[in-house]
Structure formats: C-alpha cells, structure tokens
Amino acid sequence: MTECLNEEMRDLLPLLAHGSLEAAEAERVRMHSAGCAECAAELAVLETSRLVLRASAPRVDVAAIAAAVGQSAAGASAAPVLRVERGGAKPVAAVARRSVWRSRQLLAAAASLLIVASLSLRLLDRTPSSNEGPSAPDTATVIATDPAPPAAAAGSELSVGDALVDLTSDDLSALLTELEGFDGKITIEPAAMRQPVVDTPGSR
Amino acid sequence: MAYPVPGTSDATDAELIAQWQGGDQRAATALVGRHAQPLARFAASLGERDRIDELVQDTFVRAFNSLESFRADSSLRTWLFTICKRLVLDRKRTERRRRDGVELDEGHAVVGYDALDGLVAEETAKRVNDAVARLTPLQREVFTLRVTEGMPYNEIAKVVESTDGACRVHYHNAMRIIKEYLSDD
Ligand SMILES: [Zn+2]
C-alpha cells in the first residue's frame, strides 16, 4: 500500500476529518488531498472510522450526569451517586447519605428538604404532554423520601427517559431549560454551600 | 436561572471553571455537557463497557473536587481524560484482583450501529471495528483520541504519558494497520 510522502498533510488528515482545523489550514489540506490519491483514500478511511467509532461508543445520559455532578459540585448536603443498571434500566441519581454532619450542612439539608418538597408538588403537577421535543425527558420526577433521620431527610431521585442518549449541546440546553425549576431552586442555597465539600466517592 | 447560561456555548473551559468557582452551577453543567460523551468514547477505547455513566460521573466529581490542583495552562479536556484513565486503570486492577489473574477482554465486542443511520453500511462498520480491535491498546488509544476527538499530539501525549513523537508513530502505525485490514479482502 502506497503512502503519501507529505507527512505534514498526512498528519493533519484526521483533524480535517474531525473538523478541528482552522479554515485556512483545512482548505490547504483539502487542496492537497484533492490532488493526492493516497491522502484522499486515507481521508475516506478516517471519515468512516470516525463515524463508526462515534456510533459504536456507549451513550451516556449527559443530563443525569450533569444533574448529579452539579449537585455534588454545589456542595449539596449529600453526594448524588449515579447508578446505571445494565439491561436497559434507566439511570437513577440517588442520594448517598453522609455520616457526619456539620452545622451548616444541617442548615443546607433543611433548605433542601423544603426545596425538594416544593418541587415535588410542582413537578407532579406536570402532565407528560408538557414534553416539547424528541429529546425531552419521558419522565421528570423529584421525590422527597426517607423522612428520618431529619438531617438526612432531603432525598431526591431524578429519573430521566431513555430518549436522552446522545444529546447535542443544543438538546442538552433544551432539556436543562425544561428542568430549570429543579436547578434554579437549588441555586438559592447560601453561597457558602457552593463549595465542593463533598467527598470524592471512593471505589464502589 | 434559565438555561443555557448566556455565553455558555461559546465560553472556554477556563471561563466556565471560573464561573463555577464563582458559584454558578450552570457552568459545571455546561462543562459536563461538553465533555461527557467524549469521555465515554475514550473509556470505550480503553476497553470499558460497563457502568460508563458512573465512570464519567466519577471523573467529573474528582475533577471538580480537586480543581485547585488543575493548572489553567493545561487543557481541562486533557486533565479530565487523565483522571478518567486513572479511574479505568483502578477499575481494571480491582477487576483483575477479583478475577484472580484472568485476562480481561479489551476487544470491542458489543456494538449496535443504529446511530450510523445508513451513513456507513453495517458491514463496513463491522470491518472498521474489527480493524480497530487489531490495534495494540496503546495504538487504539492514540488513534481514537486523534480521530474521534481531533486531539493534538501534545495533548494525547499527556493522556497516554508518552511523547509527542511516540504518539505520532503510534497513530501512523495504527492507520497503516487499519488501511491494510480494510483493503484486504
Ligand atoms: Zn498526500
């Protein structure tokens, strides 16, 4: 199999296929490949490989991860832990309980409880027909659970539909708009609580 | 309050980090939206198939909890990929201990091609995946980062803990193997 001797061009072919070259440079590489059979063939392989590798990679539930990480990063009173069951079960962001509570965390927990309780009412009022597009969640529920002990009462469960796979950033934005009541409420926490006080989840 | 955060889609990672450190959670969300799926692809190239969501989430939680150790002069993406890789290696080590020395399958066994939507024939997709499966783990890692993420060699080198030059060689060797495999009938 022959290979083009212009190493600079060959090196840039994957970036051309990826679309990450500046316009002028992309044009230069494209011009070269137009007159170089080896690079044209290689570019075709790269474009196919890129499509296939992207299509065959696992899809993650970006919205669920964002919600869980956002809560964790916000120093919420408990660290959300995302569990994904194999076999098509929906990802669930559950809340792990902390064993030690500092006084300001108690305050935050109390605040979260109020938030979750009010959200439950708001979200449960929603009808499924409020979905606005194909990437909208099948379900969006926030449920207050586990009334005791009081400090750990702020449980939450966010479950989102399977249709959330492979969101573009626009899709994600639309989804997050849909869920804005959820996060918008959370951001009223005292500023001090936004520090990442949550332990990194260890190996599970 | 409303998503998207004004300017979020154009904001650089560094700007979003600064916003997040200033208390804006939506910046963290934007960062997750930007990097989660590439991290999942990367994990797959390392042979991970199970609990990918959890892995990606752990990557972000670790990153956000140790932002002070992140140097602004390096790329957030590189740093996230590095954390992700460390988590994958930890997992493999745990798994290996559990299985008592049984070698793990690093191949690309799974795969549905729904998302290809007719852009590539299923047979072609299979052949490409077979070709990629023939690469060494390091070649596969470098090739994936270069081709699916469009990473420059200096970033790849940080993720795989090697040199730019070595990564370049790995990429071209991988490309040669794949081309030869695909042209073989
Ligand atoms: Zn050429």
Side-chain angles (χ1 to χ4, degrees), chain A residues 4-6 9-10 13 32-33 36-40:
Chain A
C4 171
L5 296 176
N6 188 333
M9 287 299 133
R10 283 189 61 213
L13 290 172
H32 170 82
S33 337
C36 173
E38 289 87 2
C39 283

Side-chain angles (χ1 to χ4, degrees), chain B residues 7-180:
Chain B
T8 289
S9 54
D10 297 330
T12 64
D13 283 350
E15 287 164 349
L16 289 172
I17 290 171
Q19 285 174 30
W20 175 75
Q21 286 174 316
D24 187 348
Q25 276 186 61
R26 294 163 302 177
T29 302
L31 287 168
V32 172
R34 188 174 289 178
H35 296 293
Q37 197 57 58
L39 283 167
R41 284 195 289 270
F42 176 57
S45 83
L46 298 174
E48 281 301 291
R49 281 295 175 190
D50 295 331
R51 295 178 296 136
I52 298 278
D53 288 64
E54 185 183 295
L55 178 72
V56 172
Q57 181 184 324
D58 286 353
T59 300
F60 280 107
V61 170
R62 291 222 177 173
F64 287 160
N65 282 342
S66 56
L67 267 182
E68 68 279 358
S69 71
F70 168 63
R71 290 199 308 277
D73 61 327
S74 85
S75 123
L76 177 72
R77 174 170 72 166
T78 308
W79 193 53
L80 288 170
F81 276 61
T82 306
I83 293 172
C84 181
K85 181 168 180 180
R86 213 174 298 140
L87 290 172
V88 168
L89 294 178
D90 285 351
R91 265 191 185 189
K92 285 188 198 268
R93 213 167 292 135
T94 309
E95 194 70 12
R96 211 170 291 136
R97 222 173 293 144
R98 193 182 307 147
R99 294 191 189 180
D100 201 23
V102 176
E103 260 311 298
L104 290 179
D105 172 28
E106 293 208 332
H108 290 227
V110 193
V111 188
Y113 299 109
D114 305 351
L116 279 172
D117 250 350
L119 288 169
V120 177
E122 192 161 317
E123 177 56 28
T124 308
K126 271 203 195 78
R127 283 188 67 80
V128 169
N129 267 310
D130 287 349
V132 170
R134 294 169 70 96
L135 304 176
T136 67
L138 187 54
Q139 286 171 341
R140 182 158 62 231
E141 198 178 340
V142 170
F143 184 80
T144 307
L145 290 173
R146 187 81 177 157
V147 175
T148 66
E149 312 309 330
M151 265 194 196
Y153 287 126
N154 62 347
E155 266 193 69
I156 297 174
K158 281 181 191 154
V159 176
V160 308
E161 296 180 320
S162 181
T163 64
D164 300 14
C167 290
R168 214 169 153 271
V169 171
H170 288 309
Y171 165 75
H172 285 290
N173 286 340
M175 189 69 223
R176 192 171 306 124
I177 290 167
I178 288 172
K179 278 197 305 188
E180 279 170 7

Side-chain angles (χ1 to χ4, degrees), chain A residues 11-21 46, chain B residues 146-147 149-152:
Chain A
D11 251 348
L12 294 175
L13 290 172
L15 304 189
L16 177 67
H18 180 265
S20 51
L21 291 180
L46 285 165
Chain B
R146 187 81 177 157
V147 175
E149 312 309 330
M151 265 194 196

